[in-house]
Amino acid sequence: MGYHSVVCVKQVPDTANITGEAMKADGTVNRAALPTVFNPDDLHALEAALDIRERFGGAVTAVSMGPLAAAEVLRECLCRGADRAILINDRRAAASDTLATSYILSRAVTKIGSFDLIFCGRQAIDGDTAQVGPQLAEKLGIAQVTYTERLLELHDGAARVRRSVGNGWEVLDVRLPMLLTILDTANRPRPSAARRVMRFKRARTAGEVKREVEASQPGASPGDRECEYAAGLESLKMRGLLIEQWDLDDIRAELQWCGISGSPTKVYRVQSIVLTKEGFKEVQATEEGIRTMVHELIVEHTLS
Amino acid sequence: MDAPMMPVNREGEVLVFAEQEDEHLSEVSLELCGKARELADRLGVQVGAVLPGWNVRELSYRLIAHGADRVYHVHHTELEHYRTLPYARVMIELVNRHQPQIVLFGATALGRDLAPRVASALRAGLTADCTDLEISDYTDPRTKTTHRNLLLQIRPAFGGNIIATIVNFDRWPQMATVREGVMRLHDPDPQRGGDILDERVDFSDFDLSVRLVERQREPRKVNLKAARVIVAGGAGVASRQNFQLIHDLAGAMGGAVGASRAAIDGGFIGKEHQVGQTGTTVRPALYIACGISGAIQHRAGMEESAKIIAINWDKEAPIFSVAHYGIVGDLRKVVPLMIRAIKEQA
Ligand SMILES: Cc1cc2nc3c(=O)[nH]c(=O)nc-3n(C[C@H](O)[C@H](O)[C@H](O)COP(=O)(O)OP(=O)(O)OC[C@H]3O[C@@H](n4cnc5c(N)ncnc54)[C@H](O)[C@@H]3O)c2cc1C
């Protein structure tokens, strides 16, 4: 018995702490200058899955699509209790919008095979779209419950779920398999157990092993490096520390639905609204002073 | 992945999803009818509204009065209360049947649950939570092709740190969810004519597989988080009567009303308006603090606002340390001056 849960997690720029330095002169965001974090809502998705495993048995698989650096959030999933972690990494997936992302994730979930529950965070703090969850559910042909407050019951292949609807709540009965997006009020994510951290901080993807070999043996011959790399992978696998890394071919994704060609929405332009921290202006409490201030706010579109 | 993609249809309507609950249309649906009217007039096409529900035909007249030319009314017992799958089926069917060029949803909890499911099935692009929409030509920098009369979908991104403009030219329809309260709600025109068309949609077993067990709706709460402008009052406002000034300024700016805890403790306004550590954390484009000293617990909930104006007669008040504009003076004099300046210039 037990339930197999798949949790979708994302590494995101820390948009809550953006400073002037993160903005380029043309008003676009310099992602490289931003620290990254585990998308906050996704921690609650992971916790919901771990909780199900604890209560009913089963397994938790964490999946993330992103650059090699996104292995960091998967390591954290392992430290917090996930049984398996998979990174979807492929240059051809770059610039995917939510539609292309949900397609790629649906291919990854299909490769993972059988599952009962898919958990996503309510939304990611870089885009705040909340779209990938419902789109992934549609691609997989399963029901969705967004804004989940609580999983009330789980038995006989069905779940009873309470979700928020903004100005109230509702309770739904849904047959498995299904997808849930989880609110941050749904639970309190457990901290990582020290014992797991000691163990899983050494978990690596193949891409990371390759990089580490290249960095540690700059002078070695390609053959030697290849040996070192193969040995490294084998040893990680034996110790259960390999974060699987799949590309678009591994998940048999059709390229026309991935990356730029799979993304109908295109960014036309971006304007920054946090400029470099501007100074303080004292405004005279007179008709003239206030009129000037209001005029400034209208010109810069703060007021419309 | 074998559904046919919708062709570009320049004659296609601007289609609005009309959200209703318990036979009440959501305000954003009416705002969208007005915006859709504007966009459709630019394009020389018509405005359609999809109204799914059970015994809600009467609501069609309000949609027409707010700008719809045609209401596609779908009457079915399974549509009495919102559930994702049957509602998605209705939207997917009607979009395929009528081939609109633009489809708009309110960015409510319901709209944000429904729209991505529909967009995914249609394999169309979807932009979330737009704060503005415009029609304009667009030249693709890669191919140098110019696309005429596209929908510019404008929205904040990156935690509100940037404003992005999104276009969608190679796969139709162009779809967006639109934030509540940002499009003007026009006065209804009861003389406007329009057609009500009864549409039939069939559901599969899967569409009906989720069961609604229980539901509870609370009276609408203030939505401080979604507000672009917040005018907040503190202990310095001094009375419930004076607090009308704060409501008036918020009204003139199309903003929401916030408050410090001292204002709530003083009984000037309800607890749901509280900003701060034990209230709501907000990051609007503009926050105006009137008669608020700026205690750390208050600042924690508002200091990340893009622009802050502080009005306080004590020039040492800590609120000035986080403000971009500081006005040292009596709020009873300053606030009316601001209302006047806005009415003059807007
Ligand atoms: C655990 C804890 C949690 C808290 N959480 C919150 C919270 O979430 N939100 C919150 O707001 N507070 C919170 N507080 C309370 C907070 O510490 C302050 O007491 C509160 O914010 C003060 O509100 P105020 O600025 O309106 O009042 P005051 O501090 O009394 O300030 C009033 C200001 O108005 C000015 N003023 C008076 N008359 C005029 C006038 N006619 N014209 C112009 N200016 C005038 C005065 O100069 C003064 O600066 C919390 C406190 C604790 C201990």
Side-chain angles (χ1 to χ4, degrees):
Chain A
M1 241 333 267
Y3 297 92
H4 181 201
S5 298
V6 175
V7 186
C8 301
V9 298
K10 186 178 186 187
Q11 187 182 50
V12 291
D14 186 2
T15 56
N17 295 301
I18 290 192
T19 56
E21 293 113 69
M23 303 306 293
K24 293 194 233 166
D26 61 356
T28 59
V29 179
N30 181 8
R31 275 186 184 247
L34 289 175
T36 57
V37 292
F38 199 118
N39 181 51
D41 285 345
D42 299 351
L43 286 173
H44 298 274
L46 176 63
E47 176 59 34
L50 294 173
D51 181 56
I52 297 287
R53 188 187 59 191
E54 221 161 66
R55 280 157 57 193
F56 304 96
V60 174
T61 301
V63 185
S64 187
M65 173 177 127
L68 274 188
E72 192 56 41
V73 293
L74 290 168
R75 254 188 300 282
E76 185 155 352
C77 288
L78 292 170
C79 291
R80 284 173 187 262
D83 301 288
R84 182 181 178 194
I86 303 163
L87 177 69
I88 313 300
N89 173 267
D90 197 312
R91 272 173 205 285
R92 297 167 295 179
S96 290
D97 71 359
T98 63
L99 186 72
T101 301
S102 65
Y103 170 69
I104 294 168
L105 288 174
S106 76
R107 295 305 311 158
V109 170
T110 305
K111 180 174 161 81
I112 289 169
S114 70
F115 64 90
D116 302 295
L117 295 152
I118 298 182
F119 291 93
C120 299
R122 176 197 49 153
Q123 63 192 42
I125 58 171
D126 52 350
D128 290 326
T129 73
Q131 288 178 181
V132 170
Q135 288 175 324
L136 174 57
E138 192 282 330
K139 298 261 174 275
L140 294 168
I142 61 175
Q144 72 195 44
V145 176
T146 54
Y147 305 105
T148 302
E149 290 179 345
R150 235 172 320 160
L151 226 156
L152 301 169
E153 288 169 41
L154 195 56
H155 54 68
D156 302 330
R160 175 163 289 188
V161 188
R162 177 169 146 152
R163 68 185 288 262
S164 161
V165 291
N167 60 331
W169 51 265
E170 60 195 24
V171 174
L172 300 168
D173 277 347
V174 191
R175 300 204 60 74
L176 305 186
M178 66 179 296
L179 179 145
L180 302 106
T181 78
I182 307 292
L183 287 178
D184 62 356
T185 50
N187 54 40
R188 291 251 300 270
R190 71 196 64 192
S192 320
R195 201 170 39 82
R196 287 190 73 94
V197 175
M198 289 310 291
R199 171 144 188 251
F200 287 105
K201 70 181 184 193
R202 287 191 297 270
R204 293 289 181 273
T205 58
E208 287 175 311
V209 175
K210 187 167 250 159
R211 272 197 192 165
E212 283 170 11
V213 169
E214 277 162 14
S216 67
Q217 319 211 321
S221 71
D224 286 351
R225 277 194 201 161
E226 199 52 48
C227 278
E228 181 90 355
Y229 168 67
L233 279 192
E234 196 47 43
S235 142
L236 283 169
K237 202 184 256 166
M238 297 247 305
R239 290 179 292 153
L241 294 177
L242 187 64
I243 297 174
E244 289 157 81
Q245 184 179 330
W246 296 347
D247 65 15
L248 295 181
D249 301 323
D250 294 324
I251 59 177
R252 298 209 275 148
E254 289 177 49
L255 295 182
Q256 63 160 320
W257 302 117
C258 303
I260 293 180
S261 63
S263 301
T265 58
K266 324 268 189 239
V267 178
Y268 171 23
R269 59 173 173 236
V270 287
Q271 292 158 273
S272 105
I273 54 176
V274 275
L275 306 160
T276 44
K277 185 86 185 165
E278 57 276 68
F280 171 79
K281 264 189 210 166
E282 176 154 2
V283 177
Q284 294 308 311
T286 59
E287 210 169 319
E288 190 46 39
I290 287 167
R291 193 181 288 145
T292 309
M293 176 186 75
V294 168
H295 182 71
E296 275 180 34
L297 292 170
I298 290 172
V299 168
E300 67 180 28
H301 295 293
T302 296
L303 281 177
S304 45
Chain B
M1 300 299 290
D2 43 16
M5 276 192 288
M6 231 188 77
V8 169
N9 173 14
R10 291 284 177 187
E11 303 303 310
E13 294 176 324
V14 179
L15 194 69
V16 171
F17 168 72
E19 176 177 337
Q20 60 83 25
E21 236 177 16
D22 302 323
E23 291 149 55
H24 290 288
L25 277 171
S26 69
E27 201 147 288
V28 68
S29 303
L30 301 176
E31 293 161 9
L32 287 182
C33 284
K35 188 66 190 182
R37 178 77 267 148
E38 225 173 85
L39 300 172
D41 287 343
R42 264 297 308 267
L43 296 165
V45 299
Q46 302 219 297
V47 173
V50 180
L51 176 64
W54 189 59
N55 289 337
V56 293
R57 202 169 196 276
E58 283 300 303
L59 300 178
S60 305
Y61 299 103
R62 293 192 66 200
L63 297 167
I64 291 169
H66 277 90
D69 297 305
R70 241 178 250 139
V71 177
Y72 303 107
H73 168 244
V74 190
H75 172 75
H76 200 297
T77 48
E78 296 288 354
L79 298 172
E80 179 176 8
H81 296 300
Y82 173 76
R83 280 174 303 159
T84 313
L85 298 174
Y87 270 64
R89 173 65 51 219
V90 166
M91 288 308 288
I92 295 162
E93 278 286 320
L94 292 193
V95 168
N96 280 327
R97 231 174 258 174
H98 300 289
Q99 316 254 313
Q101 55 181 306
I102 293 172
V103 185
L104 305 177
F105 299 77
T108 58
L110 191 162
R112 298 185 74 179
D113 180 71
L114 176 63
R117 182 110 198 169
V118 174
S120 173
L122 296 166
R123 292 192 294 186
L126 174 66
T127 302
D129 217 13
C130 293
T131 50
D132 204 0
L133 299 170
E134 286 168 20
I135 300 293
S136 171
D137 294 346
Y138 167 76
T139 304
D140 182 353
R142 291 200 307 163
T143 61
K144 309 280 178 248
T145 322
T146 295
H147 303 270
R148 300 245 164 261
N149 286 336
L150 289 184
L151 180 70
L152 302 192
Q153 303 146 44
I154 299 161
R155 69 175 304 246
F158 258 70
N161 293 282
I162 61 172
I163 298 285
T165 302
I166 312 288
V167 291
N168 175 357
F169 52 81
D170 53 4
R171 265 186 270 151
W172 279 27
Q174 307 165 83
M175 295 180 54
T177 66
V178 178
R179 194 174 287 188
E180 295 172 84
V182 299
M183 302 300 170
R184 279 252 316 272
L185 181 62
H186 297 280
D187 292 332
D189 173 4
Q191 309 306 326
R192 260 190 63 88
D195 299 322
I196 306 175
L197 305 167
D198 293 301
E199 296 269 346
R200 204 190 126 131
V201 175
D202 296 318
F203 301 116
S204 68
D205 289 346
F206 172 67
D207 290 337
L208 302 177
S209 63
V210 173
R211 201 166 69 86
L212 178 63
V213 181
E214 198 186 344
R215 65 197 281 279
Q216 173 81 47
R217 295 294 182 272
E218 284 132 20
R220 199 140 180 73
K221 284 204 221 112
V222 257
N223 195 354
L224 284 176
K225 275 204 184 294
R228 234 181 80 76
V229 175
I230 294 174
V231 183
V237 180
S239 71
R240 196 178 177 95
Q241 235 163 4
N242 282 359
F243 220 85
Q244 189 56 44
L245 275 178
I246 306 298
H247 291 283
D248 291 347
L249 181 56
M253 294 186 153
V257 174
S260 73
R261 191 161 99 182
I264 286 146
D265 292 345
F268 310 161
I269 191 164
K271 165 102 180 114
E272 66 278 13
H273 294 268
Q274 183 177 319
V275 172
Q277 186 186 311
T278 43
T280 309
T281 299
V282 298
R283 314 169 102 245
L286 179 63
Y287 188 91
I288 307 180
C290 311
I292 292 176
S293 60
I296 177 91
Q297 295 90 354
H298 187 79
R299 292 200 320 256
M302 48 66 74
E303 66 192 350
E304 300 206 347
S305 306
K307 277 269 155 59
I308 296 168
I309 301 176
I311 306 168
N312 196 306
W313 63 16
D314 171 10
K315 67 176 193 323
E316 305 297 330
I319 189 73
F320 288 124
S321 69
V322 296
H324 302 90
Y325 291 97
I327 308 175
V328 179
D330 188 337
L331 69 93
R332 288 165 297 185
K333 182 181 142 218
V334 174
V335 172
L337 284 177
M338 281 186 74
I339 295 173
R340 185 154 9 124
I342 287 157
K343 289 202 169 145
E344 270 170 24
Q345 296 184 43

